[in-house]
Amino acid sequence: MNIKMPDFDVKKFVKGAGSTLSRVVQLTEEKLGTSEKTEMDARFEHLSERSDSAKLWTEKIMRDTEAALIPNPANRVEDFIFEKIEKQKPKRLSNLEYLGLDMIEGGGEFGQDGPYGSALIKVGQAEQKLGSCERDFIGSAGMCFIQPLKKFLEGEMKTITKEKGVLESKRLDLDACKNRVRKARSMIGQQAAERDLRVAQSEFDRQAEITKLLLEGISTTQATHLRYLHSLVEAQVRYYGQCNKIMSDLQRELVSMRPPTPRLRVNSEDVDLTCGPPYLSKFQSQDSSQHYQQTITLHPAIPMTSGQPPLSISPAAFPIVEDSIIAALVANSDPSDISVL
């Protein structure tokens, strides 16, 4: 049975290996300072530095935006893998949506007819809406800002990097030919070296022109990136506007669910003032300076039963109204005159 061997160009392989060796030698001599290096003009160097800066900062801005939109690094890695294998990203709930689900379930357990249970359900539904808006914002920001920047880096910027690498190879070939011309002694060897130098110079000039044109195009991409930035801001404005509306509506609903009875808030506790006396009592306490200080404690409103007076309860068992001005105002006011929360 005849086995067909793949075509293999020995001459091409040897030539390539020789060029690689020549470039390594030239680069080594440049590092050691024993060989001259062809320098690019100031305009080219300026364009090259601008392209490097554009690549660096575009990469940083893109990574920071991804981190802001998807703080979990494991989720970002997962999305990256799915993008590479060209499959749809997994649909996952956001932290706000998980919070909303737990609030709704908890509200159901506590009783949706009770004030706390019904409020939990309302807040949970609002958190779910916030999570849905967040997911939509992440998608729109990715489409209008992250994806275009990524396309720039993987397309135009990668091409520039590749062509700059080719230019560096051509530059090493050119300088190696210059060294051979300087070292050539015989007439035949010198003519061959000069011929190689002319070819290398032509290839270098051509590659330098191609690379320069690509570098000059970087300035026009900033105008395009500015449009992407405007799109990102518009997406953020919509997102935060939706969030503000959801929370404002939720706040109004929670206010409407508050009990209508007058209440006094003392030490973060709401106290019902409609059940009758006793409300307040005064007592004297002696501090370390042997001065007497008047404080006011709040008694729970205990309704009278069977004509009997309320139970006698020690004031020390209840929270103290620490603000003396508010305490005095409450003590000297009728409950109907106390501001309702």
Side-chain angles (χ1 to χ4, degrees):
M1 182 176 63
N2 294 328
I3 300 176
K4 184 178 180 181
M5 300 295 293
D7 295 334
F8 185 74
D9 193 335
V10 178
K11 291 183 179 180
K12 185 177 180 181
F13 173 78
V14 172
K15 182 180 180 182
S19 298
T20 302
L21 179 61
S22 175
R23 291 165 187 166
V24 171
V25 171
Q26 175 63 28
L27 188 60
T28 303
E29 290 179 352
E30 290 176 0
K31 296 293 183 182
L32 296 174
T34 59
S35 179
E36 296 182 2
K37 176 182 176 181
T38 299
E39 300 292 343
M40 306 300 297
D41 61 76
R43 169 65 177 170
F44 185 94
E45 291 294 344
H46 174 68
L47 292 174
S48 181
E49 290 175 0
R50 286 190 60 185
S51 72
D52 292 340
S53 177
K55 181 177 182 293
L56 173 66
W57 286 105
T58 302
E59 288 174 339
K60 284 187 175 182
I61 292 170
M62 188 185 71
R63 286 197 303 266
D64 291 345
T65 307
E66 288 178 327
L69 295 176
I70 309 175
N72 190 332
N75 290 344
R76 294 201 300 271
V77 172
E78 186 180 30
D79 290 347
F80 175 78
I81 293 173
F82 273 83
E83 284 180 359
K84 289 302 180 183
I85 61 178
E86 298 182 352
K87 286 191 175 182
Q88 187 176 6
K89 295 180 182 179
K91 292 183 179 179
R92 63 176 74 92
L93 294 180
S94 66
N95 293 335
L96 288 172
E97 288 173 308
Y98 279 119
L99 173 62
L101 282 175
D102 288 343
M103 283 185 167
I104 292 172
E105 292 182 8
E109 287 292 327
F110 293 137
Q112 59 183 1
D113 295 331
Y116 182 53
S118 60
L120 267 179
I121 292 174
K122 288 289 185 183
V123 175
Q125 291 171 343
E127 298 294 344
Q128 285 187 318
K129 292 178 182 177
L130 290 175
S132 178
C133 290
E134 181 186 36
R135 188 166 54 251
D136 292 341
F137 168 61
I138 291 173
S140 60
M143 290 294 293
C144 72
F145 189 69
I146 295 178
Q147 289 299 329
L149 294 187
K150 188 175 295 186
K151 185 178 180 181
F152 163 74
L153 291 172
E154 294 179 351
E156 186 174 351
M157 204 67 245
K158 186 174 288 187
T159 300
I160 289 175
T161 303
K162 177 184 175 182
E163 295 301 329
K164 286 174 70 174
V166 173
L167 178 62
E168 178 64 9
S169 298
K170 299 295 184 183
R171 200 270 308 165
L172 290 171
D173 292 342
L174 174 63
D175 288 337
C177 288
K178 289 179 179 179
N179 286 334
R180 284 197 294 272
V181 169
R182 283 193 293 268
K183 294 176 182 178
R185 296 178 181 176
S186 66
M187 184 62 67
I188 298 176
Q190 186 174 3
Q191 290 177 349
E194 289 177 348
R195 183 174 61 251
D196 292 342
L197 175 60
R198 287 193 295 271
V199 173
Q201 184 70 59
S202 175
E203 292 181 353
F204 171 79
D205 293 341
R206 178 175 177 276
Q207 183 61 35
E209 187 64 27
I210 293 174
T211 308
K212 188 174 182 179
L213 289 174
L214 291 173
L215 292 174
E216 288 174 341
I218 290 292
S219 59
T220 62
T221 61
Q222 290 190 356
T224 307
H225 290 184
L226 178 60
R227 293 199 300 271
Y228 302 151
L229 185 61
H230 280 240
S231 299
L232 174 65
V233 173
E234 291 170 2
Q236 283 184 297
V237 170
R238 288 194 301 270
Y239 168 59
Y240 289 117
Q242 291 169 343
C243 291
N244 181 67
K245 183 178 185 305
I246 291 171
M247 296 309 296
S248 297
D249 292 344
L250 173 62
Q251 189 177 42
R252 284 194 293 269
E253 287 189 78
L254 292 180
V255 170
S256 67
M257 293 168 61
R258 285 179 178 175
T261 57
R263 303 182 329 282
L264 175 68
R265 175 163 292 180
V266 179
N267 295 340
S268 302
E269 297 291 337
D270 286 349
V271 182
D272 192 345
L273 300 178
T274 61
C275 298
Y279 301 106
L280 303 166
S281 68
K282 298 179 182 179
F283 70 96
Q284 303 293 327
S285 64
Q286 191 173 18
D287 61 19
S288 59
S289 303
Q290 302 297 321
H291 296 293
Y292 285 92
Q293 177 183 10
Q294 177 175 284
T295 58
I296 299 174
T297 60
L298 188 68
H299 286 208
I302 305 175
M304 297 178 65
T305 58
S306 303
Q308 298 296 324
L311 296 176
S312 176
I313 302 176
S314 170
F318 300 97
I320 295 177
V321 182
E322 297 177 350
D323 191 314
S324 59
I325 298 177
I326 296 177
L329 177 63
V330 173
N332 297 324
S333 301
D334 185 82
S336 61
D337 295 330
I338 297 175
S339 299
V340 178
L341 297 176

